[in-house]
């Protein structure tokens, strides 16, 4: 399959003094009858002078190439397969896999920004949100809460500029108290992205410009004349181009993309986006840099292709994890069936704990009270079951308040956890 020719490659291969080959190629591209304009305008970044060329404006556009179509076909097919697999998992396994994936996602979105966070720390924050614990000031609780809202179907369908600030406040506001915007909604002063001592990106210069461009972005995000995934990634670029806050732009930008992808695809694909980016940081950041070059002229086609590739690769990794999980779960089910001394209710408890063991390495704890609700048994019944299973050496009590049991080493040793 012929790949899309970047304007960058044509520009640098044109050795003529007046760049006539590049100019002709650019004009042909801009006059292509299939060109799709976004309505969003950008000023290129001069990397030598380390400033935006504010006297130049390009409208962001893309061409609907065969490469984009094939990638989208793969992504939509993968999404259907993921949705099917998730529907076939037992409820506990499905929930544990989601939360485990979410832990990896949130650690990745932090890691991309150079913010240190452990999986255990994020898992505890998830547990705190789910159980509505009274523990206060836990790191990343706002981040967790927003992503869990997506699971609940509470998507951020952005209809006004104010919603960008609301998302920032709820997502990272608690973590970034020293970086609270000093304008009405956004930052008042210039903000730059640095690579060492070098400026590699300049955000919008003022709150007025930020507000104007975010207003245009809201319109683009809700413009159904542009296909959904292309619209998502153009919006992702433009949000980072505007850079409305002093800090937290990357995390809020990826969250907004995640919320959008969850509506258009499936939630597991959506909450694997940052994890996929984390594996390909250079491939993620390079298209942002190329988009900002003067010679690129606002062409977002290759940017869209790269984002689709990262998304599709993330799905492939996720599918392998799910398929491995099914195999492990099948092995666990066979093992439970061989525990002849147990009654059906005791086997059900063991099988649920296997689901936790396989799919929930970093997910929130599964308490005895959870077991009671899942199996519709009384507290008395669960207590008797867990006491008997402990006597038999099948489970261990690892926490007293609230009571939490794990499979014993004897049962779990030959069935690995899913990482």
């Amino acid at each position: 399959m012929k790949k899309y020719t970047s304007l960058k490659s044509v520009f640098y291969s044109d050795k003529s003094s007046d760049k006539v080959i590049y100019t002709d190629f650019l004009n042909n591209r801009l006059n292509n009858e299939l060109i799709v304009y976004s309505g969003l305008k950008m000023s290129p970044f001069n990397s030598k002078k380390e400033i935006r060329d504010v006297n130049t404006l390009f409208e962001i556009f893309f061409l609907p190439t065969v490469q984009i179509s094939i990638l989208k076909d793969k992504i939509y097919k993968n999404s259907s397969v993921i949705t099917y697999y998730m529907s076939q998992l037992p409820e506990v396994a499905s929930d544990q896999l989601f939360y485990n994936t979410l832990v990896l996602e949130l650690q990745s979105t932090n890691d991309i920004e150079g913010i240190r966070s452990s999986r255990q720390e994020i898992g505890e924050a998830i547990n705190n949100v789910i159980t509505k614990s009274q523990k206060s000031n836990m790191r990343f609780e706002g981040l967790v809460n927003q992503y869990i809202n997506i699971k609940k179907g509470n998507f951020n369908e952005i209809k006004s500029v104010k919603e960008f600030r609301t998302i920032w406040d709820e997502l990272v506001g608690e973590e970034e108290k020293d970086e609270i915007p000093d304008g009405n909604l956004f930052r008042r002063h210039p903000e730059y992205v640095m690579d060492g001592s070098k400026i590699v990106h300049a955000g919008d210069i003022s709150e007025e410009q930020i507000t104007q461009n975010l207003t245009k972005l809201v319109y683009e995000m809700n413009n159904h004349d542009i296909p959904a995934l292309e619209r998502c990634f153009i919006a992702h670029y433009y949000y980072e181009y505007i850079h409305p806050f002093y800090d937290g732009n990357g995390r809020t930008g990826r969250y907004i993309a995640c919320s959008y992808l969850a509506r258009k695809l499936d939630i597991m694909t959506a909450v694997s986006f940052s994890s996929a980016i984390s594996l390909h940081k250079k491939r993620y950041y390079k298209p942002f840099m190329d988009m900002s070059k003067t010679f690129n002229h606002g062409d977002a086609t290759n940017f869209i292709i790269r984002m689709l590739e990262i998304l599709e690769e993330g799905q492939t990794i996720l599918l392998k994890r799910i398929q491995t999980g099914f195999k492990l779960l099948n092995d666990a089910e066979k093992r439970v069936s061989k525990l002849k001394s147990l009654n059906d209710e005791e086997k059900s408890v063991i099988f649920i704990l296997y689901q936790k063991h396989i799919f929930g390495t970093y997910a929130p704890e599964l308490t005895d009270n959870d077991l009671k609700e899942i199996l519709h048994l009384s507290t008395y019944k669960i207590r008797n079951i867990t006491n008997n299973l402990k006597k038999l050496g099948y489970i261990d009590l690892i926490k007293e308040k609230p009571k939490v049991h794990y499979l014993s080493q004897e049962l779990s040793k030959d069935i690995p956890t899913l990482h």
Side-chain angles (χ1 to χ4, degrees):
M1 178 179 59
K2 184 179 178 181
K3 293 191 175 181
Y4 187 74
T5 304
S6 69
L7 290 169
K8 175 184 178 179
S9 65
V10 178
F11 180 85
Y12 282 114
S13 64
D14 184 359
K15 304 303 181 183
S16 62
S17 58
D18 56 359
K19 296 289 182 183
V20 64
I21 297 173
Y22 165 78
T23 302
D24 287 345
F25 189 91
L26 173 62
N27 286 333
N28 285 335
R29 180 156 291 178
L30 295 175
N31 289 317
N32 189 306
E33 65 179 4
L34 296 178
I35 195 168
V36 180
Y37 283 104
S38 67
L40 302 175
K41 295 184 178 180
M42 57 166 287
S43 292
F45 183 77
N46 187 319
S47 55
K48 289 183 178 179
K49 296 181 179 180
E50 298 184 19
I51 58 171
R52 263 193 196 182
D53 180 5
V54 294
N55 295 316
T56 303
L57 274 179
F58 299 134
E59 184 172 357
I60 297 172
F61 70 89
F62 72 93
L63 288 172
T65 66
V66 172
Q67 198 173 355
I68 287 176
S69 295
I70 290 173
L71 280 166
K72 286 170 63 180
D73 282 349
K74 289 179 180 178
I75 287 166
Y76 282 115
K77 181 180 178 181
N78 285 343
S79 182
S80 295
V81 174
I82 290 167
T83 299
Y84 171 75
Y85 277 149
M86 292 299 290
S87 72
Q88 296 304 299
L89 280 173
E91 183 179 358
V92 172
S94 177
D95 281 346
Q96 291 290 307
L97 178 58
F98 169 78
Y99 289 120
N100 212 40
T101 304
L102 182 58
V103 168
L104 301 177
E105 176 75 356
L106 298 186
Q107 186 186 41
S108 295
T109 199
N110 286 334
D111 181 61
I112 292 165
E113 302 302 317
I115 298 168
R116 297 186 65 180
S117 57
S118 70
R119 293 173 182 179
Q120 181 180 351
E121 184 179 21
I122 295 170
E124 288 173 355
I126 291 174
N127 192 65
N128 200 42
V129 170
I130 292 172
T131 60
K132 296 180 172 60
S133 171
Q134 295 304 308
K135 294 178 184 177
S136 59
N137 301 319
M138 285 195 72
R139 287 182 78 204
F140 312 123
E141 196 167 315
L143 192 68
V144 165
N145 198 51
Q146 287 298 95
Y147 277 85
I148 288 180
N149 277 338
I150 296 176
K151 185 179 189 294
K152 294 176 180 176
N154 300 327
F155 304 112
N156 286 95
E157 296 187 61
I158 298 172
K159 302 293 184 181
S160 72
V161 166
K162 289 181 180 179
E163 291 174 63
F164 291 108
R165 174 58 189 272
T166 300
I167 289 170
W168 188 93
D169 286 340
E170 295 178 351
L171 198 75
V172 299
E174 193 64 30
E175 309 297 319
E176 303 294 348
K177 289 180 179 178
D178 294 336
E179 302 291 351
I180 292 175
D182 50 2
N184 184 35
L185 291 173
F186 309 107
R187 58 176 171 81
R188 292 174 56 198
H189 302 292
E191 177 65 14
Y192 305 97
V193 176
M194 309 294 293
D195 184 5
S197 61
K198 185 178 176 62
I199 298 173
V200 295
H201 177 70
D204 283 355
I205 197 69
S206 65
E207 184 173 30
E208 180 182 10
Q209 186 180 39
I210 290 169
T211 303
Q212 289 173 351
N213 282 336
L214 285 178
T215 300
K216 296 171 186 174
L217 178 57
V218 170
Y219 179 81
E220 186 272 345
M221 292 171 74
N222 294 282
N223 178 10
H224 297 286
D225 290 336
I226 300 175
L229 296 185
E230 292 90 330
R231 186 163 78 242
C232 172
F233 291 125
I234 288 174
H236 185 53
Y237 168 77
Y238 203 62
Y239 180 83
E240 302 302 338
Y241 164 82
I242 295 167
H243 229 67
F245 304 102
Y246 291 117
D247 205 349
N249 295 288
R251 282 168 289 167
T252 53
R254 286 186 294 276
Y255 166 77
I256 292 167
C258 173
S259 181
Y260 188 88
L261 292 170
R263 296 200 309 274
K264 302 301 179 182
L265 297 169
D266 65 278
I267 191 167
M268 294 299 292
T269 293
V271 297
S272 301
F273 185 46
S274 291
S275 297
I277 290 169
S278 186
L279 297 174
H280 306 283
K281 286 184 190 177
K282 289 184 178 178
R283 284 181 61 201
Y284 175 68
Y285 281 120
K286 191 174 182 299
F288 279 95
M289 299 299 105
D290 288 346
M291 269 290 292
S292 69
K293 304 296 185 184
T294 301
F295 55 66
N296 190 61
H297 212 86
D299 186 355
T301 310
N302 267 328
F303 181 88
I304 292 167
I305 289 170
R306 295 296 167 263
M307 295 300 116
L308 290 172
E309 286 176 340
I310 290 171
L311 187 65
E312 191 264 335
E313 287 168 15
Q315 287 181 316
T316 300
I317 293 169
L318 176 62
L319 278 167
K320 286 180 180 177
R321 288 180 67 229
I322 295 173
Q323 288 162 351
T324 300
F326 263 103
K327 182 181 180 303
L328 294 173
L329 196 62
N330 186 52
D331 292 343
E333 195 167 15
K334 289 177 182 176
R335 177 168 291 190
V336 172
S337 68
K338 293 178 181 178
L339 301 175
K340 302 299 184 182
S341 62
L342 302 186
N343 62 38
D344 288 345
E345 290 174 343
E346 290 168 334
K347 287 181 179 180
S348 294
V349 168
I350 292 292
F351 188 54
I352 287 172
L353 293 180
Y354 264 121
Q355 293 174 53
K356 167 64 180 173
H357 170 74
I358 293 167
F359 293 96
T361 312
Y362 313 110
E365 60 193 21
L366 194 68
T367 66
D368 283 12
N369 193 55
D370 293 326
L371 293 173
K372 181 186 77 171
E373 292 183 3
I374 293 164
L375 295 172
H376 306 290
L377 298 174
S378 67
T379 301
Y380 175 78
K381 191 72 172 177
I382 286 293
R383 187 186 305 118
N384 284 344
I385 289 172
T386 54
N387 284 339
N388 188 45
L389 293 174
K390 275 190 293 182
K391 288 177 184 178
L392 292 170
Y394 290 152
I395 66 174
D396 295 320
L397 178 68
I398 60 132
K399 187 176 178 182
E400 184 64 44
K401 291 185 178 181
K403 285 186 182 295
V404 177
H405 289 88
Y406 276 10
L407 292 174
S408 66
Q409 180 68 19
E410 180 64 27
L411 283 189
S412 63
K413 63 182 179 181
D414 296 327
I415 297 186
T417 57
L418 192 65
H419 291 283

